[in-house]
Amino acid sequence: LRKMTDDSVIALGHCTQRRAEFVMRLYHELNFAFFVYDPTCLLGICFRMVSLTMEIGSTEISATAFANYGIELIARGYSIGSRLGTLALKLAENSKYISYVIAAVKQYNSWVVEPLHAIAESHLLGFYAGKKIGDESSSSLNY
């Protein structure tokens, strides 16, 4: 991942395997469960989601994997986490997870490299994006 450009990651292609999409969604849900019960497992789950994306191509939920992995790396002091957050935003541009990705990246990741007023504007965009697609929970994370 360090040797790849953002454009080459975006150009991986879209995975059409239903099983892969199911596994990625399962890992995404596990992220929420482990956030509450055992946060030490989050890095492993996020890493697995990113590595699956690199192996099989991107799924609709891959952007959340890069966002969450970036957050975990930033929390551990690795600056590459901000790059993963930016990549997650690019992957999520036309995804139903755009509101979630904006909330995650801007709240936990971008404050390291962006001025706070820019982050506030992005949260407002995430709020409206979530409202537009009916994602009330992610929309409220941006409010």
Side-chain angles (χ1 to χ4, degrees):
L1 191 60
R2 286 183 193 259
K3 297 177 183 176
M4 295 179 74
T5 65
D6 289 356
D7 292 333
S8 62
V9 173
I10 291 171
L12 282 174
H14 191 74
C15 176
T16 57
Q17 299 174 16
R18 293 183 66 140
R19 184 170 184 225
E21 182 74 27
F22 172 78
V23 169
M24 290 291 280
R25 287 179 196 269
L26 179 63
Y27 279 131
H28 182 68
E29 294 301 320
L30 281 174
N31 239 355
F32 291 114
F34 279 111
F35 181 78
V36 173
Y37 297 108
D38 191 3
T40 59
C41 295
L42 291 176
L43 184 65
I45 293 170
C46 296
F47 175 75
R48 182 64 185 138
M49 288 179 76
V50 168
S51 64
L52 269 174
T53 298
M54 301 303 286
E55 291 171 20
I56 62 173
S58 68
T59 62
E60 191 173 29
I61 206 163
S62 291
T64 66
F66 283 94
N68 291 331
Y69 192 48
I71 291 166
E72 290 302 314
L73 291 176
I74 287 283
R76 287 163 175 77
Y78 295 102
S79 61
I80 193 172
S82 61
R83 176 184 169 224
L84 294 178
T86 304
L87 180 59
L89 290 169
K90 289 178 184 177
L91 284 170
E93 281 179 354
N94 295 317
S95 164
K96 70 179 182 181
Y97 294 98
I98 183 67
S99 185
Y100 173 84
V101 171
I102 289 173
V105 170
K106 296 300 179 177
Q107 187 168 355
Y108 299 108
N109 190 322
S110 293
W111 62 269
V112 176
V113 293
E114 289 184 33
L116 290 178
H117 71 279
I119 294 170
E121 292 168 2
S122 297
H123 273 300
L124 190 59
L125 291 174
F127 174 75
Y128 289 123
K131 289 288 188 187
K132 183 177 178 181
I133 60 173
D135 186 359
E136 292 295 327
S137 62
S138 295
S139 182
S140 65
L141 289 174
N142 281 295
Y143 190 68

